[in-house]
């Protein structure tokens, strides 16, 4: 009898406990349930997003840009410091500021021209008479271009030096270009003139030095940037095209991060390696010039006609050089002289940071950032992105201050310093805060150049973020239309997917902007968002005033986005993504989209390499199985999510699934996969030299093995096949249930 009573009490207690738990999680939200329970189950509020989108103001963005571009603000200059103070003032505003804002100071290794002794490019005859001298500054069409703080065009990290030699034309400065020249010309002791595009800035000089070239000139060909237009009457200030004296400045280094403190934040007392140990910078002097000066040099060259694909839009047939100038040229029998006086030094640079603290998961971060420094006024690059970020923070800060909203997760905003020098201020941040970022950051949103032009949205991202980009872009109208940004995007950039025609989201391969440290080094799901131009109407490789003295507020407001409606569309789209990442109960990532991307890469790898590898007795079957395993586990996780009502289940389940989604890109990191590439650890999206759009390590290794047919190179191909296979299989297991 006692046994039956005890059993009855036990069963009753069990049912009573179940009832309490059911009531705990399923009780009507209006009842006296503890506040933390309501908060833990709260999902993103669509009405909050609607209010946020409505409050983003084009005029505020316009005035932000006007303020940001008043003076040149190259990294570490007084103009840059003024911008630091401006950002802090805005983010500390009592009515519209963030919860906290501060600066993180670093001492960084940068390269500058000598203000008192400008770099010079000239042609000098045997009697030491100067027959030609390139411009030292761009022509000023508006007062702001005549500002004394406009830095002379230069190649950052080019060594100082005084070199001379006969001139040759080397197209884009690729290895293949110099190899072609070297077949018929002795390049030792020559100076090469190259055009932007096709090869990184620094690599042009690195490649040239291997053939004995002693100096490199770089210019922007009007064929590549101006759709062939060359006259002043057809270019800025009459259109968006680059005027003849315009010069693209740039950082001539390969690695991102401070060059003296690799993998360490560049603080005052940190270890700095000897300058002699720096790699990836030009071993010979380099200097950019305008296409008017380039025309004077190229059109006087002797020698054979350059190949058809090397021709451009200057007013002549491009020749290779004799080396040197043709006998009928007034420059005949003369050398090109390069007198470069660049100096390197340590300078103080700051990242400006701000935070809105999360209410439920303050230890989970969504980071939104862009760099602040520019080469000159930088209206488009990067201030269009900063102007948008400031408007997003103004609206969100106001909503927080007024008690209308607080995100579930914390949001960190970053205004990075010294990115234009290739240093990428975000790299300093990730190195200093590695322990926090490596496991706690949900995503990184990069809006660097927010508006290249006003035709369509363009985005590159981790495949996991594709779905949230689509959701956000469907809720925003394209400027001047009733069509959504999503539908407009499909018109310009699209692809066929298993779900039909969708916008084509690019992959974040290479280190093109501030996302590099987050995506490639830390494996944080990242995205880069901008508004872009109609590629069917121009072959410009980028907006024509890029990195020149003409990238001003006048240029942006006259030719790029006169009504600032494209800036607003980017603010609404990127801000929508940000709120969803910070506020959704379940992170809006989709593993099946990642599976599709891996399948696309696999298909390309099989088509391009399977037969070649099989001939060396290397099988791709394990890679095929790994990709299939990833697809299976992604589908399984999707099904689990679809079958769950997470608002009514234990918060621990939501946290577990969110951790699986958040850490997915981290699962593809291999710190030993690319020992020769600084900062690249993501085996899917690392930089590659191969033109085959597939797994980078495998693609580069197979192409090298094909060119040499050496056993050790085929062994490397096998190794990279194994690396990517195991990375994908490992990532698949992170999506599966607990063991």
């Amino acid at each position: 009898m006692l046994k039956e009573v005890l059993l009855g009490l036990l069963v009753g207690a069990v049912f009573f406990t179940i009832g309490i738990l059911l009531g705990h999680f399923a009780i009507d939200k209006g009842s006296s349930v503890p506040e933390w329970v309501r908060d833990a189950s709260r999902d993103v509020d669509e009405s909050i997003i609607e209010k946020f989108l409505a409050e983003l103001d084009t005029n505020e963005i316009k005035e932000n840009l006007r303020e940001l571009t008043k003076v040149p603000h190259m990294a570490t200059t007084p103009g840059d410091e003024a911008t630091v103070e401006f950002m802090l003032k805005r983010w500390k505003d009592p009515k519209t500021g963030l919860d906290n804002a501060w600066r993180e100071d670093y001492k960084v290794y940068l390269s500058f021209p000598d203000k008192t002794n400008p770099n010079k490019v000239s042609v000098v005859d045997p009697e030491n008479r100067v027959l030609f001298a390139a411009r030292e500054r761009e022509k000023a069409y508006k007062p702001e271009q005549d500002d004394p703080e406009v830095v002379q065009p230069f190649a950052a990290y080019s060594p100082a030096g005084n070199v001379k030699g006969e001139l040759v034309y080397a197209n884009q400065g690729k290895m293949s270009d110099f190899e072609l020249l070297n077949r018929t010309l002795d390049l030792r002791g020559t100076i090469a003139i190259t055009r932007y595009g096709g090869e990184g800035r620094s690599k042009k000089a690195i490649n040239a030095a291997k053939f004995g070239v002693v100096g490199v000139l770089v210019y922007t060909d009007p064929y590549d940037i101006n759709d062939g237009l060359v006259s002043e009457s057809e270019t800025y200030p009459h259109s968006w095209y680059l005027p003849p004296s315009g010069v693209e400045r740039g950082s001539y280094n390969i690695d991102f991060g401070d060059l003296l403190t690799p993998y360490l934040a560049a603080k005052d007392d940190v270890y700095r390696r000897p300058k002699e140990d720096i790699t990836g910078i030009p071993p010979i002097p380099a200097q950019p010039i305008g296409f008017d000066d380039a025309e004077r040099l190229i059109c006087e060259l002797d020698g054979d006609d350059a190949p058809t694909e090397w021709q451009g839009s200057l007013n002549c047939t491009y020749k290779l050089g004799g080396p040197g100038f043709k006998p009928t040229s007034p420059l005949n029998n003369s050398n090109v002289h390069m007198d470069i006086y660049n100096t390197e030094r340590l300078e103080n640079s700051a990242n400006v940071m701000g935070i809105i603290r999360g209410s439920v998961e303050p230890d989970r971060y969504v980071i939104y950032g862009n760099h602040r420094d520019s080469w000159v006024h930088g209206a488009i690059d990067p201030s269009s992105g900063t102007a948008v970020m400031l408007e997003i923070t103004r609206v969100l800060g106001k909503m927080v201050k007024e008690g209308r909203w607080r995100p579930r997760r914390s949001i960190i905003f970053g205004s990075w310093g010294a990115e234009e020098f290739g240093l990428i201020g975000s790299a300093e941040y990730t190195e200093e805060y590695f322990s926090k970022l490596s496991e706690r950051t949900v995503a990184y949103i990069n809006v660097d150049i927010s508006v290249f032009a006003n035709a369509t949205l363009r985005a590159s991202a981790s495949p996991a973020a594709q779905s949230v980009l689509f959701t956000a872009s469907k809720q925003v109208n394209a400027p001047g239309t009733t069509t959504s940004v999503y539908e407009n995007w499909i018109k310009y950039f699209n692809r066929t997917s298993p779900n039909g025609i969708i916008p084509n989201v690019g992959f974040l391969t290479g280190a093109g902007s501030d996302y590099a440290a987050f995506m490639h080094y830390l494996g944080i799901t990242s995205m880069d968002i901008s508004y872009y131009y109609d590629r069917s109407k121009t072959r410009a490789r980028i907006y024509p005033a890029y990195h020149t003295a003409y990238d001003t507020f006048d240029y942006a407001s006259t030719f790029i986005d006169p009504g600032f409606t494209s800036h607003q569309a980017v603010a609404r789209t990127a801000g929508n993504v940000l709120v969803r990442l910070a506020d959704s109960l379940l992170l809006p990532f989709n593993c099946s989209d990642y599976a599709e991307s891996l399948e696309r890469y696999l298909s390309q790898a099989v088509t391009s390499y399977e037969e070649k590898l099989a001939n060396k007795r290397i099988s791709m079957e394990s890679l095929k199985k790994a990709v299939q395993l990833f697809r299976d586990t992604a589908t399984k996780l999707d099904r689990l999510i679809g079958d769950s009502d997470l608002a009514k289940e234990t918060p621990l389940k939501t946290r577990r699934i969110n951790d699986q989604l958040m850490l997915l890109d981290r699962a593809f990191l291999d710190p030993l996969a690319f020992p020769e590439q600084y900062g690249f650890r993501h085996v899917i999206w690392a930089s590659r030299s191969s033109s085959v759009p597939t797994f980078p390590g495998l693609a580069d290794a197979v192409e090298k093995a094909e060119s040499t047919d050496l056993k050790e190179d085929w062994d490397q191909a096998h190794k990279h096949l194994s690396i990517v296979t195991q990375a994908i299989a490992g990532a698949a297991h992170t999506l599966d249930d607990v063991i």
Side-chain angles (χ1 to χ4, degrees):
M1 183 67 179
L2 180 62
K3 187 174 182 180
E4 291 173 353
V5 170
L6 289 174
L7 182 60
L9 289 172
L10 179 60
V11 171
V14 168
F15 278 103
F16 178 76
T17 302
I18 291 173
I20 290 292
L21 289 173
L22 286 173
H24 186 66
F25 291 108
I27 195 167
D28 182 78
K29 299 299 181 186
S31 64
S32 59
V33 64
E35 186 176 348
W36 70 265
V37 176
R38 290 197 298 270
D39 287 344
S41 61
R42 174 176 58 84
D43 204 350
V44 64
D45 186 337
E46 294 293 338
S47 68
I48 290 291
I49 291 180
E50 289 174 8
K51 292 173 185 175
F52 165 70
L53 297 181
E55 291 180 31
L56 292 168
D57 191 331
T58 56
N59 194 58
E60 292 281 351
I61 298 172
K62 177 181 178 179
E63 293 309 311
N64 289 343
L65 190 65
R66 192 193 304 276
E67 182 67 31
L68 290 163
T69 56
K70 280 184 176 178
V71 297
H73 51 285
M74 186 171 65
T76 76
T77 64
D80 181 39
E81 179 60 25
T83 311
V84 168
E85 294 301 322
F86 174 64
M87 299 295 295
L88 283 170
K89 181 181 178 182
R90 289 290 299 274
W91 286 355
K92 289 184 175 182
D93 186 280
K95 294 182 179 179
T96 61
L98 309 177
D99 288 334
N100 192 20
W102 66 98
R103 61 186 293 160
E104 295 286 352
D105 289 294
Y106 304 92
K107 191 173 284 294
V108 296
Y109 179 71
L110 303 183
S111 166
F112 302 96
D114 187 335
K115 276 188 175 182
T116 61
N117 197 9
N119 296 340
K120 292 178 174 61
V121 175
S122 57
V123 177
V124 181
D125 71 8
E127 284 72 46
N128 212 32
R129 291 176 301 187
V130 176
L131 305 180
F132 164 80
R135 282 179 170 272
E136 294 175 9
R137 294 174 68 92
E138 293 148 301
K139 182 176 179 178
Y141 296 99
K142 299 289 178 75
E144 59 265 32
Q145 289 135 24
D146 218 15
D147 190 309
E149 289 302 311
V150 172
V151 68
Q152 178 203 11
F154 75 112
Y157 301 109
S158 161
N162 306 99
V163 296
K164 63 181 180 179
E166 294 182 292
L167 189 68
V168 296
Y169 170 57
N171 191 30
Q172 296 176 325
K174 304 186 296 290
M175 278 296 291
S176 59
D177 295 334
F178 285 109
E179 287 166 355
L180 186 150
L181 278 176
N182 200 49
R183 292 174 196 164
T184 56
L185 296 175
D186 183 356
L187 297 177
R188 292 173 296 178
T190 62
I191 286 176
I193 185 167
T194 66
R195 63 208 272 184
Y196 276 118
E199 183 65 280
R201 300 183 189 102
S202 180
K203 285 296 294 288
K204 295 176 192 293
I206 292 171
N207 295 341
K210 294 175 182 177
F211 293 86
V213 175
V214 296
V216 170
L217 301 174
V218 189
Y219 78 101
T220 303
D221 198 287
Y223 180 88
D224 302 320
I225 203 75
N226 279 4
D227 296 314
L229 301 181
V230 297
S231 72
E232 280 193 287
S233 64
E234 298 173 305
T235 57
Y236 181 84
H238 307 291
S239 75
W240 83 321
Y241 289 118
L242 181 68
S245 68
V247 184
E248 178 184 321
R249 298 149 179 81
S251 180
Y252 282 56
N253 61 311
I254 293 174
D255 297 336
F256 60 86
D258 187 89
L259 297 180
L260 292 182
T261 63
Y263 300 112
L264 294 169
K267 289 293 191 177
D268 255 340
D269 58 353
V270 74
Y271 166 75
R272 288 177 167 83
R273 64 179 176 178
K275 296 177 184 178
E276 296 73 27
D277 291 351
I278 295 174
T279 59
I281 60 176
I284 56 177
Q287 176 69 18
I289 60 174
F291 70 75
D292 55 353
D293 289 329
E295 181 174 67
R296 181 71 191 277
L297 297 173
I298 290 173
C299 291
E300 298 295 334
L301 282 175
D302 197 11
D304 296 333
D305 289 355
T308 302
E309 60 272 21
W310 290 25
Q311 298 296 322
S313 293
L314 302 180
N315 191 29
C316 62
T317 298
Y318 295 19
K319 294 183 179 295
L320 301 178
F325 302 109
K326 56 193 175 186
T328 57
S329 169
L331 306 180
N332 181 42
N333 198 31
S334 301
N335 285 326
V336 172
H337 285 224
M338 295 177 61
D339 299 298
I340 307 302
Y341 302 103
N342 295 347
T343 59
E344 297 80 39
R345 59 183 183 264
L346 294 175
E347 292 283 355
N348 294 318
S349 179
N351 288 339
V352 182
M353 312 300 303
I355 189 169
I356 296 176
R357 295 188 182 89
S359 60
V360 179
E361 299 178 86
D363 63 331
R364 291 292 185 262
Y365 309 114
V366 181
I367 304 178
Y368 182 115
N370 89 303
H371 73 92
R372 177 190 67 254
D373 63 305
S374 64
W375 285 113
V376 193
H377 293 87
I380 300 303
D381 181 14
S383 300
S384 63
T386 308
V388 163
M389 178 167 65
L390 282 171
E391 176 59 1
I392 289 173
T393 59
R394 181 189 72 83
V395 175
L396 292 182
K398 186 169 183 282
M399 292 170 71
V400 169
K401 297 288 187 186
E402 293 175 351
R404 292 187 285 148
W405 175 78
R406 181 167 289 278
R408 179 186 188 88
R409 303 175 186 90
S410 295
I411 303 174
I412 294 175
F413 294 95
S415 175
W416 318 119
E419 188 269 358
E420 291 292 12
F421 285 84
L423 187 145
I424 304 186
S426 59
E428 301 308 303
Y429 178 67
T430 58
E431 287 158 1
E432 186 171 10
Y433 288 89
F434 181 83
S435 60
K436 284 185 180 179
L437 289 176
S438 61
E439 298 301 331
R440 298 184 184 181
T441 299
V442 169
Y444 176 68
I445 302 171
N446 191 63
V447 181
D448 176 0
I449 302 175
S450 71
V451 179
F452 289 85
N454 57 5
T456 180
L457 191 79
R458 187 183 70 161
S460 299
S462 164
Q466 176 179 283
S467 59
V468 69
L469 284 166
F470 288 175
T471 299
S473 63
K474 289 175 182 177
Q475 289 186 296
V476 178
N477 282 344
T481 74
T482 56
T483 302
S484 72
V485 164
Y486 177 87
E487 293 168 312
N488 189 61
W489 189 1
I490 289 177
K491 285 170 52 182
Y492 292 93
F493 298 101
N494 63 70
R495 69 178 181 87
T496 303
S497 78
N499 298 317
I501 304 296
I502 61 172
N504 187 22
V505 178
F507 297 141
L508 288 176
T509 55
S513 190
D514 300 288
Y515 59 76
F518 293 97
M519 188 75 202
H520 299 302
Y521 184 43
L522 295 183
I524 291 169
T525 298
S526 301
M527 63 205 77
D528 186 55
I529 304 171
S530 64
Y531 230 73
Y532 211 61
Y533 45 87
D534 183 351
R535 294 308 299 264
S536 70
K537 294 182 179 178
T538 179
R539 58 174 174 264
R541 61 182 178 83
I542 197 167
Y543 71 97
Y546 175 69
H547 287 191
T548 72
Y550 308 111
D551 187 0
T552 61
F553 180 82
D554 171 70
Y555 181 84
S557 59
T558 303
F559 300 112
I560 300 296
D561 188 20
F564 284 80
T565 53
S566 294
H567 282 77
Q568 186 187 51
V570 172
R572 285 174 168 170
T573 305
N576 192 333
V577 170
L578 174 63
V579 172
R580 290 182 182 282
L581 288 169
D583 228 15
S584 294
L585 177 61
L586 185 73
L587 291 176
F589 292 151
N590 190 306
C591 298
S592 291
D593 289 336
Y594 219 124
E596 189 209 343
S597 297
L598 295 177
E599 288 161 353
R600 288 165 61 193
Y601 262 25
L602 174 65
S603 175
Q604 188 66 60
V606 169
T607 299
S608 302
Y609 304 135
E610 185 169 40
E611 184 177 344
K612 297 168 185 176
L613 290 169
N615 290 338
K616 300 296 180 180
R617 298 185 178 181
I618 302 171
S619 172
M620 295 185 72
E621 290 305 311
S622 293
L623 177 60
K624 294 177 185 177
K625 291 177 181 177
V627 172
Q628 184 59 53
L629 176 63
F630 190 97
R631 166 60 76 182
D632 293 342
T633 53
T635 301
K636 184 178 177 182
L637 182 59
D638 283 349
R639 189 180 305 117
L640 172 65
I641 292 170
D643 291 343
S644 301
D645 187 354
L646 295 174
K648 297 181 179 179
E649 298 189 51
T650 168
L652 295 178
K653 181 177 180 180
T654 305
R655 182 84 162 190
R656 174 171 62 84
I657 295 174
N658 278 340
D659 281 352
Q660 289 176 291
L661 296 170
M662 180 180 71
L663 298 175
L664 176 57
D665 268 301
R666 253 75 114 216
F668 292 106
L669 297 181
D670 185 337
L672 303 178
F674 309 106
E676 296 179 357
Q677 290 194 56
Y678 175 83
F680 286 95
R681 309 194 304 168
H682 200 300
V683 302
I684 310 299
W685 310 124
S687 180
R688 68 172 190 273
S689 58
S690 169
S691 61
V692 179
T694 187
F695 308 111
L698 177 64
D700 287 350
V702 171
E703 290 200 2
K704 183 179 180 182
E706 281 188 283
S707 66
T708 65
D709 205 30
L710 296 174
K711 182 182 183 300
E712 56 262 36
D713 289 335
W714 285 108
D715 286 346
Q716 280 296 306
H718 193 178
K719 177 182 177 181
H720 275 283
L721 176 63
S722 299
I723 287 171
V724 72
T725 297
Q726 294 194 12
I728 293 170
H733 289 305
T734 69
L735 301 180
D736 210 349
D737 290 336
V738 293
I739 298 174

